Amino acid sequence: MNKNKMKKFETNAIRTQAERTTNREHSVPMYLTSSFTFDDAEQMRAMFADELEGNIYSRFTNPNSTEFVDKMCLLEGAEAGYATASGMAAIFASFMALLKSGDHILAASSIFGSTHTVLTKLLPKWNIEHTYAYINKPESWEQLIQKNTKMIFVETPSNPGLDIIDLEWLGKLANKHSLILNVDNCFATPYIQRPIEFGAHLVTHSATKYIDGQGRVLGGIVVGKKELIKEIYTFCRSTGPSLSPFNAWTLSKSLETLAVRMERHSQNALQLATALEKNAAVEKLKYPLLPSHPQFAIAKRQMSLGGGIVSFEMVGGINSGRKFLDALQMCSLTANLGDTRTIATHPASTTHAKLTEEERLAVGITPGLVRISVGLENIYDIVSDIEQALLNSK
Ligand SMILES: *Cc1c(COP(=O)(O)O)cnc(C)c1O
């Protein structure tokens, strides 16, 4: 790992590799083994006692997941990490390992649907409380910090509203109050935004999205401060949300192309957003790097590109929204995002259906909101399909 420390992003994403075996393979092999052998009883004892480093059992570590973690740490500028079976497993582990009964989380109100469910329905079972703070009211955040607040949790850009939070400001706020700043960096990926550089202590990812980038596997990861990751590792080692070696191999290979994919996703999304902004059927279009975005100035400071997600409101609300989805000929209707294929979703009836109408409206998820995950097809075909569907959804 140290050998690669001084290299640039793309090089680290391609050249970070688990040790070669005596077969001198060029690409890393898949270690589909549940456990690892010991030379003798003394080595076995020492490894179990943490006196010797090494793989024991794939619920703890595996060379494929270690390679994926080492690579992500280099890309995010993190000290350590742990890879999990899904993004939600990483987020849940970051809560359960670091919080206890009586603690409080301050969370952005605009967050992924399942994270919202964990905060509102599950954590209260263990007496862990939360308060939601609004991204467009940053002046209110400091007052919402309580004596028992231990963590701030945010997504930026958020799913699906594309709200953007000033990470530098938030990093300072967290440090002033000795809180753990936990950032879900799923939409931007480390190629576009590195929250640790702005003061985040933990970064979580749904690797299912842009990190895989091809809609094949589920995976998650949490990276950050060594002492926090140690707690998360202890929690995961005993409770078992570990990433499978097969998925770890797939995700590590995917990182080799993350930079070129994010460049093209962002270029296509900007072109689509620019075209749709002029379309009479579209209202309130949001894209981080368009000057019309309410937090454009912050986006420009902390993101190097706009990413691949565009969201907009249909003139005509929910009925036009549904007609639009039905009129699409090429774009997929599916719950994923960050795929090579362009995907259209209707958050109010899918990812955020578990929220009440009131909760949805409070975070900007209107009935007619459509989210487009702009893929890597030719931009001409993407724009044509979406424009014809808008024309046919009146
Ligand atoms: C999808 C998603 C998650 C959850 O990830 P899974 O891999 O599906 O468990 C968390 N946060 C955001 C922002 C997401 O888009």
Side-chain angles (χ1 to χ4, degrees), residues 86-88 91 112 155 159 184 186-187 206 208-209 218-219 337:
S86 69
M88 285 321 301
I91 292 169
F112 184 62
E155 273 171 32
N159 184 3
D184 182 336
C186 173
F187 270 31
S206 168
T208 316
K209 312 292 170 54
L218 268 94
L337 65 92

Side-chain angles (χ1 to χ4, degrees), residues 258-316:
L258 182 70
V260 288
R261 285 187 287 108
M262 292 318 288
E263 289 281 351
R264 184 60 71 85
H265 276 297
S266 300
Q267 185 189 324
N268 282 357
L270 181 61
Q271 280 193 49
L272 175 71
T274 308
L276 293 187
E277 244 190 348
K278 298 182 212 117
N279 195 302
V282 168
E283 222 176 15
K284 285 195 224 148
L285 177 136
K286 258 187 175 173
Y287 184 68
L289 287 195
L290 278 185
S292 55
H293 191 290
Q295 293 109 13
F296 172 66
I298 302 170
K300 258 189 16 189
R301 273 206 306 276
Q302 64 194 32
M303 298 172 72
S304 62
L305 289 167
I309 311 285
V310 177
S311 75
F312 59 87
E313 176 71 30
M314 299 277 306
V315 171

Side-chain angles (χ1 to χ4, degrees), residues 14-324:
I14 291 169
R15 291 284 173 180
T16 308
Q17 184 164 340
E19 288 294 311
R20 291 222 163 85
T21 73
T22 51
N23 288 322
R24 290 173 284 107
E25 66 281 348
H26 189 204
S27 176
V28 73
M30 235 183 259
Y31 292 89
L32 293 180
T33 177
S34 36
S35 63
F36 300 84
T37 55
F38 307 99
D39 292 338
D40 51 38
E42 172 48 26
Q43 190 190 41
M44 188 169 181
R45 185 208 59 79
M47 276 202 193
F48 268 85
D50 278 338
E51 289 166 19
L52 256 185
E53 265 194 33
N55 296 299
I56 299 174
Y57 190 58
S58 286
R59 167 149 49 80
F60 311 168
T61 59
N62 172 285
N64 291 123
S65 54
T66 303
E67 179 188 288
F68 174 55
V69 168
D70 286 350
K71 206 183 263 191
M72 280 299 288
C73 287
L74 281 172
L75 303 185
E76 286 283 7
E79 293 170 0
Y82 189 77
T84 54
S86 69
M88 285 321 301
I91 292 169
F92 186 61
S94 76
F95 294 158
M96 292 313 278
L98 300 169
L99 302 171
K100 60 179 189 319
S101 174
D103 286 348
H104 172 260
I105 307 180
L106 182 63
S109 58
S110 184
I111 48 170
F112 184 62
S114 297
T115 311
H116 187 275
T117 304
V118 169
L119 289 174
T120 55
K121 307 259 161 47
L122 301 180
L123 294 191
K125 291 189 186 187
W126 295 286
N127 193 29
I128 297 167
E129 312 180 287
H130 67 277
T131 304
Y132 285 126
Y134 292 103
I135 287 159
N136 55 6
K137 288 187 191 148
E139 67 285 355
S140 69
W141 285 53
E142 190 158 23
Q143 295 154 23
L144 297 173
I145 295 170
Q146 307 178 4
K147 273 208 183 70
N148 57 344
T149 306
K150 290 286 155 59
M151 184 184 280
I152 297 180
F153 182 86
V154 297
E155 273 171 32
T156 183
S158 68
N159 184 3
L162 291 175
D163 295 312
I164 292 173
I165 304 170
D166 186 337
L167 286 172
E168 194 179 351
W169 162 78
L170 206 52
K172 285 185 187 142
L173 184 71
N175 282 322
K176 181 176 165 195
H177 294 271
S178 305
L179 307 176
I180 299 166
L181 176 58
N182 190 351
V183 178
D184 182 336
N185 200 27
C186 173
F187 270 31
T189 81
Y191 185 66
I192 290 181
Q193 167 180 281
R194 281 176 291 282
I196 290 170
E197 289 175 2
F198 297 101
H201 306 103
L202 289 176
V203 172
T204 50
H205 276 282
S206 168
T208 316
K209 312 292 170 54
Y210 287 106
I211 291 175
D212 173 44
Q214 288 143 93
R216 301 168 298 188
V217 299
L218 268 94
I221 190 163
V222 48
V223 300
K225 291 250 168 252
K226 210 185 252 165
E227 64 271 18
L228 301 176
I229 296 295
K230 198 166 167 241
E231 298 285 317
I232 293 170
Y233 170 69
T234 303
F235 174 82
C236 291
R237 174 178 162 143
S238 299
T239 56
S242 37
L243 182 63
S244 84
F246 178 85
N247 288 10
W249 181 91
T250 308
L251 293 169
S252 185
K253 287 306 271 181
S254 294
L255 283 175
E256 296 185 15
T257 57
L258 182 70
V260 288
R261 285 187 287 108
M262 292 318 288
E263 289 281 351
R264 184 60 71 85
H265 276 297
S266 300
Q267 185 189 324
N268 282 357
L270 181 61
Q271 280 193 49
L272 175 71
T274 308
L276 293 187
E277 244 190 348
K278 298 182 212 117
N279 195 302
V282 168
E283 222 176 15
K284 285 195 224 148
L285 177 136
K286 258 187 175 173
Y287 184 68
L289 287 195
L290 278 185
S292 55
H293 191 290
Q295 293 109 13
F296 172 66
I298 302 170
K300 258 189 16 189
R301 273 206 306 276
Q302 64 194 32
M303 298 172 72
S304 62
L305 289 167
I309 311 285
V310 177
S311 75
F312 59 87
E313 176 71 30
M314 299 277 306
V315 171
I318 186 151
N319 286 335
S320 325
R322 284 178 173 228
K323 276 193 207 153
F324 166 75

